[in-house]
């Protein structure tokens, strides 16, 4: 795993300016169009009109659009990002390590999810590792740019607050599961939650669109792989789930209506 830090937009512009000066304007216009499209696809901006998106873009708020390769570390506890970032495409895993190196997965970030820390706004991702589960497109905004954007667009500020509230609700549910439920109930809760986020309905089952091994499930629950394997075998036997190599399907009857 490697810590990434690059800006392909800048690199490509420099290459074109040096090799093909006459093509730079065309490239920059295409980048501008792509940038506006990416902005409109980020969930917190989805209710904005095209004219509003152009106004936001003129504020020069979104700085970087970076492709993060699979298994690359976007952040470690020692390299906290002083900006807010958004996942445009792909998936990021947020986790901590204890003194013995055991991993505990705090969450999975996907399309439209935020991470990062600035003085005026926190996504609760301080002192954690953030790693790409697959090739992931990330864009970022600095504190000054974020403050300017919130002042000019108060409706966006409300959407940010809603996003953080949802993140806190997930953390509270995690703690409640640990405190009051047995391992079987915790596994079922986790799988149904993942199904609501990443599930694809196939023949009466929700296929979780994640590479999900027993070890990964154990990391999310803070227990041993052996304990999870025992529970998963029981759930397969009861027809609650189906499993294959690195994939899990959950019976749609287990899902809350409206989750998928």
């Amino acid at each position: 795993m490697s810590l990434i830090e690059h800006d392909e937009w800048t690199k490509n512009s420099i290459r074109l300016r040096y090799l093909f000066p006459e093509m730079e304007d065309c490239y920059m216009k295409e980048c501008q169009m792509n940038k506006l499209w990416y902005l409109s696809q980020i969930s917190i901006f989805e209710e904005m009109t095209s004219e509003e998106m152009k106004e936001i873009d003129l504020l020069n708020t979104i700085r970087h659009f970076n492709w993060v390769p699979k298994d690359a570390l976007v952040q470690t506890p020692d390299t906290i990002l002083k900006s807010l970032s958004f996942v445009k495409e792909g998936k990021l895993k947020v986790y901590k390590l204890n003194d013995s190196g055991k991993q505990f997965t705090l969450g999975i970030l996907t399309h439209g999810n935020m991470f990062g820390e600035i003085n005026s706004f926190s996504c609760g991702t301080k002192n954690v590792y953030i790693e790409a589960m697959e090739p992931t497109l990330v864009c970022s905004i600095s504190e000054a740019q974020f403050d300017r954007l919130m002042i000019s667009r108060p409706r966006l500020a409300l959407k940010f607050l809603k996003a953080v509230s949802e993140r806190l609700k997930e953390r509270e549910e995690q703690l409640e599961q640990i405190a009051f439920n047995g391992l079987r109930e915790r596994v079922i809760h986790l799988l149904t939650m993942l199904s609501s986020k990443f599930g694809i309905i196939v023949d009466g089952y929700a296929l979780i669109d994640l590479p999900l091994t027993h070890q990964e499930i154990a990391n999310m629950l803070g227990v041993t792989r052996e304990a999870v394997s025992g529970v998963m075998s029981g759930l397969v036997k009861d027809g609650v789930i189906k499993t294959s190599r690195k994939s899990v399907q959950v019976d749609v009857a287990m899902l809350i209506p409206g989750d998928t």
Side-chain angles (χ1 to χ4, degrees), residues 140-151:
S140 62
I141 179 172
S142 70
E143 180 171 6
Q145 294 164 328
F146 175 79
D147 290 344
R148 192 162 77 250
L149 180 59
M150 292 300 99
I151 291 171

Side-chain angles (χ1 to χ4, degrees), residues 110-153:
T110 187
H111 172 72
N113 291 158
M114 302 179 294
F115 62 95
E117 305 288 326
I118 57 178
N119 290 329
S120 58
F121 194 85
S122 171
C123 292
T125 51
K126 187 177 181 180
N127 298 324
V128 300
Y129 293 88
I130 301 178
E131 179 183 329
M133 301 179 70
E134 61 188 54
T136 301
L137 182 60
V138 175
C139 55
S140 62
I141 179 172
S142 70
E143 180 171 6
Q145 294 164 328
F146 175 79
D147 290 344
R148 192 162 77 250
L149 180 59
M150 292 300 99
I151 291 171
S152 66
R153 295 292 171 184

Side-chain angles (χ1 to χ4, degrees), residues 1 5 40 47 50 59 62 73 75 83-84 110-111 123 149-150 154-155 163 196 202 206 208-209 214-215 220 234:
M1 295 182 294
E5 183 180 358
S40 68
E47 295 178 7
S50 59
L59 294 174
I62 304 299
L73 286 172
Q75 175 184 294
S83 63
L84 289 179
T110 187
H111 172 72
C123 292
L149 180 59
M150 292 300 99
R155 188 154 59 102
S196 70
V202 179
I208 300 173
D209 185 23
H214 288 188
Q215 184 61 61
M220 294 181 185

Side-chain angles (χ1 to χ4, degrees), residues 75-81 94-97 106 117 124-130:
Q75 175 184 294
T76 72
D78 298 324
T79 58
I80 299 171
L81 304 176
V94 182
Y95 63 91
K96 287 191 173 186
L97 298 176
L106 299 171
E117 305 288 326
T125 51
K126 187 177 181 180
N127 298 324
V128 300
Y129 293 88
I130 301 178

Side-chain angles (χ1 to χ4, degrees), residues 213-226:
T213 63
H214 288 188
Q215 184 61 61
E216 190 61 60
I217 294 171
N219 292 343
M220 294 181 185
L221 295 173
V223 298
T224 65
R225 181 185 60 79
E226 291 77 12

Side-chain angles (χ1 to χ4, degrees), residues 56-250:
I56 291 173
D57 186 59
L58 289 175
L59 294 174
N60 292 320
T61 51
I62 304 299
R63 266 190 315 125
H64 295 135
F65 285 82
N66 293 329
W67 275 105
V68 183
K70 180 181 178 181
D71 297 329
L73 286 172
V74 178
Q75 175 184 294
T76 72
D78 298 324
T79 58
I80 299 171
L81 304 176
K82 295 297 183 180
S83 63
L84 289 179
S85 297
F86 309 87
V87 179
K88 170 55 192 73
E89 297 177 24
K91 300 179 183 72
L92 300 174
K93 178 169 62 175
V94 182
Y95 63 91
K96 287 191 173 186
L97 298 176
N98 65 13
D99 293 338
S100 61
K102 182 178 176 61
Q103 183 182 129
F104 179 63
T105 302
L106 299 171
I108 296 172
L109 306 179
T110 187
H111 172 72
N113 291 158
M114 302 179 294
F115 62 95
E117 305 288 326
I118 57 178
N119 290 329
S120 58
F121 194 85
S122 171
C123 292
T125 51
K126 187 177 181 180
N127 298 324
V128 300
Y129 293 88
I130 301 178
E131 179 183 329
M133 301 179 70
E134 61 188 54
T136 301
L137 182 60
V138 175
C139 55
S140 62
I141 179 172
S142 70
E143 180 171 6
Q145 294 164 328
F146 175 79
D147 290 344
R148 192 162 77 250
L149 180 59
M150 292 300 99
I151 291 171
S152 66
R153 295 292 171 184
R155 188 154 59 102
L156 271 183
L158 294 177
K159 297 191 75 175
F160 272 98
L161 290 175
K162 182 180 178 181
V164 172
S165 296
E166 290 174 352
R167 183 80 59 83
L168 290 173
K169 182 181 178 182
E170 283 187 12
R171 294 285 175 88
E172 288 175 359
E173 288 178 352
Q174 277 184 316
L175 292 174
E176 185 176 308
Q177 289 293 319
I178 292 172
F180 300 115
N181 291 328
L183 184 56
R184 179 184 170 94
E185 289 75 20
R186 290 168 60 192
V187 170
I188 291 174
H189 176 266
L190 174 65
L191 295 178
T192 54
M193 182 186 70
L194 293 176
S195 296
S196 70
K197 283 189 171 184
F198 309 109
I200 302 169
I201 303 300
V202 179
D203 298 330
Y205 282 79
L207 171 63
I208 300 173
D209 185 23
L210 287 174
L212 209 55
T213 63
H214 288 188
Q215 184 61 61
E216 190 61 60
I217 294 171
N219 292 343
M220 294 181 185
L221 295 173
V223 298
T224 65
R225 181 185 60 79
E226 291 77 12
V228 166
S229 295
V231 170
M232 294 289 283
S233 296
L235 294 176
V236 170
K237 184 178 180 180
D238 294 341
V240 176
I241 64 172
K242 293 180 180 180
T243 61
S244 59
R245 187 175 180 274
K246 290 189 177 183
S247 72
V248 178
Q249 300 179 57
V250 180

